[in-house]
Amino acid sequence: SSDPSFDGNFSASMEDLTQSYDGRILESNPINITGSEYYDAEIYYNIQGPNSGRDNKLDEYSVKIVWLDDMNNELSANGIFGDFSNPGASWKDTSFSEQAPASAESAKLRIRAKEGDTNDPTVYWDLASLNKFSNQLSNPSFESSGGWDFSDTNVQRSSSSDPAFDGNFSASME
């Protein structure tokens, strides 16, 4: 293919973006997941075209994990919004993590893009992934002091009354 690709020979393209997220949508097929578990989503993009991202309004994207029940009904969709602020020949990636609802049995990625003005760019997408979170770090939630070097006196394990995303403790930098 003569179109740009990040991995392999092909990519997906959204040509001639519109000013609405409903204009260009790409969805993956559903995959089986385990409810209440965390999942990581990642995809690479490359935006090209006349004045891509250089007009008064930036071109934007939305990448979401769509959580589905056992009948493939949409339970919710969570993800990120961003702008294509650095157009050109280089590929950029966007990634995030979300927890599946307890009743979710499958999930899919939903990718949308829109132009900010009337510049009609094309965005290329490649190497999409949706994986169950697998952390190889020891003690990622700082529930004990093991697995981390707290030798800097301004970096410490928080108390149980401080905010924590997962568990009762976090690391703080004061």
Side-chain angles (χ1 to χ4, degrees):
S1 168
S2 61
D3 291 333
S5 65
F6 180 78
D7 183 60
N9 295 317
F10 296 93
S11 60
S13 66
M14 292 179 175
E15 298 178 357
D16 190 18
L17 296 183
T18 67
Q19 293 184 359
S20 167
Y21 277 122
D22 293 328
R24 302 292 180 266
I25 301 172
L26 176 64
E27 289 187 340
S28 70
N29 292 329
I31 62 167
N32 293 329
I33 57 103
T34 303
S36 300
E37 294 289 330
Y38 285 90
Y39 287 82
D40 297 325
E42 181 175 29
I43 191 163
Y44 288 80
Y45 65 85
N46 182 321
I47 187 163
Q48 297 185 359
N51 301 317
S52 299
R54 293 191 177 94
D55 48 16
N56 293 332
K57 298 177 183 175
L58 292 174
D59 304 317
E60 300 173 353
Y61 64 85
S62 164
V63 179
K64 294 183 177 184
I65 301 174
V66 179
W67 306 109
L68 306 167
D69 66 13
D70 61 344
M71 300 297 291
N72 279 338
N73 296 311
E74 186 172 324
L75 297 170
S76 62
N78 307 91
I80 58 173
F81 292 87
D83 62 63
F84 299 113
S85 57
N86 295 311
S90 66
W91 287 85
K92 291 136 188 92
D93 76 321
T94 187
S95 62
F96 62 97
S97 299
E98 290 289 335
Q99 185 177 18
S103 59
E105 297 209 7
S106 60
K108 61 184 176 180
L109 279 183
R110 177 180 292 151
I111 303 155
R112 296 179 178 191
K114 70 176 190 169
E115 65 182 355
D117 214 333
T118 56
N119 54 6
D120 301 332
T122 297
V123 61
Y124 297 92
W125 301 96
D126 209 351
L127 199 59
S129 63
L130 178 58
N131 297 299
K132 187 174 178 180
F133 178 74
S134 175
N135 193 342
Q136 303 302 313
L137 292 175
S138 173
N139 188 28
S141 295
F142 305 99
E143 299 303 303
S144 69
S145 58
W148 296 91
D149 177 4
F150 287 101
S151 60
D152 183 329
T153 58
N154 292 319
V155 178
Q156 55 194 328
R157 184 173 164 256
S158 70
S159 69
S160 60
S161 62
D162 290 331
F165 176 74
D166 184 42
N168 296 315
F169 297 91
S170 60
S172 64
M173 296 181 182
E174 299 176 357

